[in-house]
Amino acid sequence: MSEEPTAYEHPDRNIAMELVRATEAAAIRAVPWIGRGDKNGADKAAVDAMRTFLGTVSLDGTIVIGEGEKDEAPMLFNGEAVGNGRGPQCDIAVDPIDGTTLTASGRPNAISVIAVSDRGTMFNPVDAFYMDKIVAGPEGVGVVSLDQSIGDNIKELAQAKGKHISEMVVAILDRPRHEELIEQVRAAGAGTRLMRDGDVAGGINAARWESRVDMCAGTGGTPEGVITACAIKTLGGVMEGRLNPQSDLENKNVLAAGHDLDRILRLDDLVSSDNTFFVATGVTDGELLDGVRRKGPFIRTESLVLRSKTGTARRVIAEHQAAKWLEADAAHA
């Protein structure tokens, strides 16, 4: 009996290597808005650039997670068709800037993100804006779960990683709703890494073997959770989510859409495809990626490119001639 051919024997097209041009463009266009206090201006610049480059990619994509109804966005909205229509049929999730407030205030950890999976495989978070999440690396598979207390999760993950509890670090969004969670983490003997925004980067850092973060937990955006799941598929980690409406209106809409608020959504529930792509480019410097930097006549970007089918993680360092971008600006002025 012959064995199944490996990805090495029959390599196919990695569309993430084309998508990275869109996140690079979005990140570069956001740079003039860093520290300017205008998050809407930064977001619009990134959206315009990302949409332009997405239109050149050979795929037949539908945006499942976009700027969306929540942001009343005129472009990259949920349901919009993207790509040139001549490639594979895909679900697309975009966040031209995950961390618009970070960008506007000049703080670290803002990134530009695109995630892709086979058509019909991405969880559609319509009306469900918030969810409880827990993310960890490969050591956490079969170990951590939303079924357990945060203290038990920390204790069992520490044991699986061969670490003392005092060495464990949990990333949590710095929000009033997390005061009790933060206290519980510290009472268990672990440390916290409080994030102002950007829980996509927080979740990915929790799954990376070289990261100083061991786990990411708390209530954050459902769209960001689905995007993170596409990355965790490649990194071999564990992720669970449970919808957690933050207002009476959201609760009403989520129940009307037929969602079960008690159901724990595991990785395959968030994205069922085993062929996911994830691309992120740093906007401002962060633990996950360096931000956009001007290096003499060049603009330098750093990106993370992940593909679950092959289990491949790439870091892409690109140097763009600044003069070319200035020429493009002049042509559209």
Side-chain angles (χ1 to χ4, degrees), residues 27-296:
I28 290 171
R29 290 305 189 202
V31 168
W33 300 91
I34 294 175
R36 298 283 297 276
D38 184 357
K39 67 177 186 179
N40 292 330
D43 194 45
K44 183 180 185 304
V47 167
D48 290 346
M50 179 175 283
R51 187 171 187 269
T52 296
F53 277 80
L54 270 178
T56 70
V57 180
S58 294
L59 57 81
D60 179 6
T62 300
I63 292 183
V64 175
I65 297 170
E67 292 294 272
E69 178 183 343
K70 182 179 177 182
D71 298 320
E72 298 181 351
M75 293 194 301
L76 294 179
F77 55 84
N78 299 350
E80 182 177 353
V82 294
N84 63 15
R86 295 194 294 270
Q89 294 185 326
C90 302
D91 286 347
I92 311 286
V94 300
D95 199 343
I97 303 180
D98 180 34
T100 52
T101 300
L102 298 175
T103 302
S105 59
R107 298 185 185 276
N109 295 314
I111 59 177
S112 178
V113 181
I114 299 174
V116 177
S117 68
D118 297 326
R119 177 68 54 81
T121 62
M122 204 176 274
F123 179 76
N124 190 337
V126 61
D127 297 318
F129 296 138
Y130 291 94
M131 70 190 313
D132 297 330
K133 292 178 267 190
I134 188 166
V135 187
E139 302 91 345
V141 176
V143 174
V144 303
S145 175
L146 289 173
D147 280 328
Q148 301 182 141
S149 68
I150 191 66
D152 286 343
N153 278 317
I154 292 170
K155 178 181 177 181
E156 295 188 18
L157 184 58
Q159 184 176 0
K161 298 185 76 167
K163 298 177 68 170
H164 193 274
I165 289 178
S166 62
E167 299 176 289
M168 298 290 287
V169 177
V170 182
I172 304 171
L173 281 173
D174 190 4
R175 299 288 188 274
R177 63 176 178 266
H178 288 146
E179 289 179 359
E180 183 177 352
L181 176 62
I182 292 168
E183 289 178 4
Q184 291 172 348
V185 169
R186 293 171 177 171
T192 56
R193 176 72 57 83
L194 300 184
M195 306 177 294
R196 291 181 179 271
D197 284 294
D199 60 343
V200 172
I204 294 171
N205 277 328
R208 292 167 58 232
W209 67 269
E210 74 269 39
S211 174
R212 291 173 288 179
V213 173
D214 300 285
M215 185 190 305
C216 185
T219 304
T222 302
E224 289 83 357
V226 178
I227 291 172
T228 303
C230 289
I232 302 305
K233 283 266 184 171
T234 298
L235 299 173
V238 60
M239 178 175 181
E240 290 185 354
R242 182 170 51 212
L243 300 182
N244 185 1
Q246 297 295 294
S247 69
D248 290 340
L249 178 59
E250 185 186 354
N251 187 74
K252 178 182 178 181
N253 290 339
V254 167
L255 292 176
H259 293 297
D260 181 356
L261 298 183
D262 294 322
R263 180 189 177 194
I264 291 180
L265 299 166
R266 294 180 168 82
L267 198 54
D268 283 339
D269 297 314
L270 294 169
V271 55
S272 59
S273 173
D274 288 324
N275 186 33
T276 64
F277 302 87
F278 173 92
V279 180
T281 300
V283 177
T284 59
D285 285 344
E287 184 177 347
L288 181 63
L289 292 163
D290 287 338
V292 180
R293 298 180 183 181
R294 180 70 179 262
K295 297 284 188 178

